[in-house]
Amino acid sequence: MRRRLLPLAALLLAFAAARAGAAPASDPLERARLLHRVAAELLDDPAIESRQRCLRDLEDAIALDPEGRAGNHWLLMARLRESGGLDREARRCFRNACVQRPDDPETWLGLARTYRRDWLRTLDGDALRRSVAVLDTASRVRPGSSAVWLALCPLLYELHDLPRAAEAAERALHGYPRVPEAVLAAALMAWRTGALERSDSLFRAALPRLAPDLRAMFEHPGRFTGSAPRRPPGLLTSTDDDATDTLGTTPKGPWVDDPAHDALPDPDPTTPENELLLEYRARVAHAYLLFNDPSRPGLDARAETYIRYGPPAKVLLNPPGVSLVFKPNPNAGGNPHSGSMSEYPLDAQLWIYPDLGMNILLNDRTLTGHYSTPALREPWPNSTPSPAALAKRGDLLATGGGFAVFPTLPPTAQRLDVTGTFAAFEGASQARLSAFAQAAGDSLEARWVVTDARGRVVARDRHAMGRSVCDPALRADAFALDLPPGRYDVTVSARDGHGRRGLDRGAVTLGRVVDALAMSDLVLCCGEPALLVDRDAIRLEPLGGTTVRGGAPLTVYFEIYHLAAGADGLSRYTFDYRVERLALDDKGRPVAAPTTTTWASREEVFRGRVRRQFLSVPMATLGAGRYRLGVTVHDTIAGTSEAGAVEFVRP
């Protein structure tokens, strides 16, 4: 402190001497330079007297040196106005500073900040575009400045210009000075463009270099997913009495940071990266880069809302029906003796999430662009995700009972439609899990993971997907494994060389292999049996889903095991099938007994105990609806029977 006061005292003495006439009256440039230095010393002093003195000195310096030869007086004046919340005055000063010093990126950055702050507060799209235009000019003035590209990246992302946003992140990463926030921007855009391996490595490289509070946001997702608790206030120590949460809300006690509470489920176990954790970290990175103002550090409720639920479909400013005033005591209830009756104006933003059936209300009670949750007697209607809306979206995962919602699939532009078919067969000595996958694209790779009922990985594999037998535009792959009896979860993912990816999951229950008549699962196939048989080998090509279109017969494949042989060494069996129309309600529950629409029976004779069977079911007479195909096999010699069924849909 003493070292800081000594230069200030010297400057004040020199300034007093100049005011007293010690400096020549014919040297206004020197006096302006001295006034500029004194104002720079007083700029960060929060005392009102110091700020007033700083303002007077800068006004005198500008009057003495209007061309700014003794210093960038307008930039200093803009910073003073900006710290005081006078954005309109700060913008005017930044503009003057840009005219005088067009080669100084700080002036352009400051001007862009005022426009960005205006856009965040008023939702004016023109202000956003002006901020981007100013930063574009700054990038041409100083193309190697990481600060310029770092400020430009989140704004371009908000304009849905991903290629330019990704380029800005890369320029910030390779610019100067080297800052860890630039690594965050590069990791964010790598994730948004589908490069998840690079995104994961960049996040891991950036986190150790961040400030402790910011790093904790990335490393402890339980704070924003509803799983991390707080210690009760009674357990606070003397140093924790003023502890607040990350977004600056009222004290609630310190966080209990425990890896068990921070663990997020991995929606795609076929990759070493946790896609849900990467999505969370990408949200934190974007919220920090967008809502954190260097001149007014700190995040508010908008950042927390974005981290928990992602970008809203729409944001309304001061919508109809929302109160734009607040009372210091909202529980007064109109009683003049229970508190103050004063009312104060506020701004309100309504964040709308139609896919979640949710609207979140935020209030700016300071009228400075700092939003917080409103103080209401009753919760705002539909302020939490609708269970019905979540049930309709199989690609969303709610954590903490709806405290946060994350997607389990990539964005639509990066998503591959992967369809998996999973079935149980019999192997030589154990049950066999067979899985098939289809996806549209070129040069696709399929990755397989099988986990048991305890979540342990029992098998992994990866293949280049080959061309489909039935549709040249599709790629197909198959995976088979002999396993002990039990329930197994199968995940298959596919990806191409352009960052697009997709996955599908299913469960298969394998039984014990016993020496008795048995059937495999029924598999709906995509073509005629002649296309699926190559000499003595069978190459199954599942339909890819349960929807059967067109009037061509439906091909169904199944296997029959442990048929008894007669005295002549031949096995004899008959099988019949029936197609039943299912009457279901909106929730898929049966509302009436099924109606049989098709029935047929066949008798077969062959040599062996295992029969691989194709079945063709006519479709021309079936109308739209949901159907169940049931097959029953009768071993004529042993006198035993076995049945299986599969459902399909006619659009």
Side-chain angles (χ1 to χ4, degrees):
M1 178 65 68
R2 185 176 181 182
R3 292 184 177 179
R4 182 170 177 240
L5 291 177
L6 285 177
L8 178 59
L11 287 173
L12 291 176
L13 290 175
F15 173 69
R19 285 287 181 116
S26 59
D27 191 8
L29 194 62
E30 185 63 30
R31 292 180 59 191
R33 183 176 292 108
L34 187 58
L35 289 169
H36 183 94
R37 293 174 61 189
V38 174
E41 287 286 340
L42 297 173
L43 184 63
D44 296 329
D45 194 335
I48 185 63
E49 296 83 1
S50 299
R51 299 183 64 84
Q52 291 174 346
R53 179 61 180 273
C54 181
L55 177 61
R56 291 196 302 269
D57 289 348
L58 287 174
E59 290 175 344
D60 292 344
I62 291 173
L64 291 170
D65 180 27
E67 297 180 357
R69 291 180 295 171
N72 198 345
H73 313 308
W74 282 114
L75 178 59
L76 214 57
M77 177 75 80
R79 291 173 54 192
L80 177 65
R81 296 297 194 183
E82 188 179 33
S83 62
L86 303 175
D87 286 339
R88 184 173 298 180
E89 290 296 323
R91 185 178 303 156
R92 180 180 63 86
C93 297
F94 276 124
R95 284 173 177 167
N96 292 334
C98 290
V99 172
Q100 284 192 349
R101 302 287 178 88
D103 59 339
D104 187 356
E106 290 298 324
T107 60
W108 299 102
L109 280 170
L111 181 59
R113 271 199 312 271
T114 63
Y115 283 121
R116 186 185 72 167
R117 199 179 298 120
D118 192 26
W119 164 63
L120 290 174
R121 187 177 65 253
T122 66
L123 306 179
D124 182 6
D126 289 339
L128 171 60
R129 286 182 284 272
R130 289 192 184 100
S131 181
V132 171
V134 171
L135 290 172
D136 184 67
T137 302
S139 67
R140 299 173 187 275
V141 170
R142 194 67 61 86
S145 173
S146 60
V148 173
W149 295 108
L150 189 59
L152 190 57
C153 176
L155 302 185
L156 290 173
Y157 181 81
E158 287 295 316
L159 289 174
H160 307 289
D161 192 348
L162 260 65
R164 290 184 62 197
E167 180 186 1
E170 290 299 317
R171 298 289 292 270
L173 184 63
H174 296 94
Y176 292 95
R178 305 290 191 186
V179 292
E181 289 79 5
V183 186
L184 287 182
L188 163 67
M189 295 314 303
W191 168 249
R192 294 304 183 205
T193 53
L196 66 161
E197 293 90 351
R198 184 169 187 265
S199 175
D200 184 67
S201 63
L202 286 172
F203 274 125
R204 293 178 184 274
L207 296 188
R209 302 168 54 193
L210 299 177
D213 291 345
L214 180 58
R215 179 178 178 179
M217 293 177 65
F218 286 93
E219 293 184 337
H220 301 292
R223 301 183 178 185
F224 295 93
T225 58
S227 59
R230 288 180 179 270
R231 296 191 185 96
L235 299 180
L236 294 178
T237 62
S238 58
T239 58
D240 292 330
D241 290 339
D242 297 329
T244 60
D245 64 11
T246 311
L247 300 178
T249 56
T250 55
K252 300 178 182 177
W255 290 104
V256 178
D257 291 328
D258 186 350
H261 296 118
D262 293 327
L264 291 175
D266 188 357
D268 185 2
T270 65
T271 61
E273 298 81 19
N274 187 331
E275 285 79 5
L276 208 63
L277 179 60
L278 287 176
E279 170 64 22
Y280 166 78
R281 288 179 172 176
R283 288 185 183 181
V284 175
H286 185 65
Y288 176 76
L289 295 175
L290 183 65
F291 294 109
N292 184 57
D293 193 334
S295 62
R296 304 168 191 175
L299 300 179
D300 61 7
R302 293 172 299 177
E304 180 180 4
T305 304
Y306 186 94
I307 294 171
R308 289 167 57 184
Y309 301 110
K314 190 176 183 180
V315 181
L316 300 179
L317 178 67
N318 299 331
V322 175
S323 176
L324 300 182
V325 296
F326 77 96
K327 297 179 180 180
N329 183 6
N331 298 318
N335 186 353
H337 303 289
S338 60
S340 172
M341 297 298 295
S342 302
E343 293 183 343
Y344 300 92
L346 57 81
D347 284 331
Q349 286 188 4
L350 189 65
W351 287 39
I352 301 176
Y353 294 86
D355 290 346
L356 303 179
M358 178 181 66
N359 301 323
I360 296 181
L361 180 65
L362 304 175
N363 285 346
D364 176 16
R365 290 183 286 182
T366 63
L367 297 177
T368 60
H370 185 88
Y371 282 83
S372 60
T373 54
L376 301 174
R377 296 181 185 177
E378 299 292 338
W380 182 257
N382 303 321
S383 58
T384 57
S386 166
L390 291 175
K392 295 179 181 178
R393 294 286 304 274
D395 59 339
L396 296 179
L397 174 67
T399 62
F403 190 83
V405 178
F406 296 93
T408 58
L409 293 178
T412 305
Q414 302 173 11
R415 188 178 304 178
L416 287 176
D417 291 329
V418 180
T419 303
T421 302
F422 314 101
F425 291 86
E426 279 193 12
S429 59
Q430 286 184 312
R432 173 167 297 175
L433 186 154
S434 297
F436 311 88
Q438 289 179 337
D442 294 323
S443 302
L444 300 183
E445 181 189 62
R447 299 185 181 185
W448 300 88
V449 168
V450 180
T451 57
D452 61 13
R454 296 183 178 181
R456 297 174 300 185
V457 176
V458 298
R460 288 183 181 271
D461 207 350
R462 57 196 299 177
H463 314 107
M465 301 185 73
R467 194 174 297 277
S468 170
V469 173
C470 304
D471 188 350
L474 295 178
R475 296 296 182 270
D477 189 40
F479 174 82
L481 182 67
D482 291 351
L483 292 169
R487 184 184 183 277
Y488 297 91
D489 293 321
V490 187
T491 304
V492 55
S493 67
R495 62 177 58 200
D496 62 11
H498 306 289
R500 298 193 305 160
R501 63 190 191 281
L503 63 89
D504 196 8
R505 310 183 74 147
V508 178
T509 300
L510 301 181
R512 295 184 179 276
V513 176
V514 295
D515 191 10
L517 181 65
M519 280 181 58
S520 70
D521 290 337
L522 304 181
V523 179
L524 305 179
C525 298
C526 65
E528 298 179 358
L531 296 175
L532 306 178
V533 177
D534 183 12
R535 296 180 182 177
D536 295 333
I538 295 177
R539 178 183 176 184
L540 285 186
E541 187 79 29
L543 185 63
T546 59
T547 302
V548 181
R549 294 181 171 84
L554 171 63
T555 300
V556 181
Y557 175 80
F558 61 96
E559 294 181 358
I560 309 170
Y561 308 105
H562 312 294
L563 287 165
D568 56 359
L570 299 178
S571 299
R572 292 174 173 84
Y573 70 94
T574 63
F575 70 89
D576 58 68
Y577 72 87
R578 62 195 177 280
V579 178
E580 300 174 328
R581 183 184 181 92
L582 304 178
L584 307 175
D585 60 12
D586 295 338
K587 296 184 178 180
R589 298 173 299 191
V591 295
T595 303
T596 301
T597 61
T598 304
W599 182 90
S601 179
R602 288 173 54 182
E603 183 177 359
E604 298 286 345
V605 177
F606 82 107
R607 186 178 298 276
R609 302 195 66 191
V610 178
R611 178 66 171 176
R612 295 174 174 85
Q613 185 70 54
F614 284 100
L615 173 65
S616 294
V617 181
M619 293 283 110
T621 60
L622 299 183
R626 190 171 189 88
Y627 296 86
R628 179 193 294 125
L629 169 64
V631 177
T632 303
V633 176
H634 307 276
D635 188 335
T636 306
I637 297 176
T640 56
S641 300
E642 188 70 17
V646 65
E647 294 184 3
F648 62 90
V649 177
R650 292 283 286 169

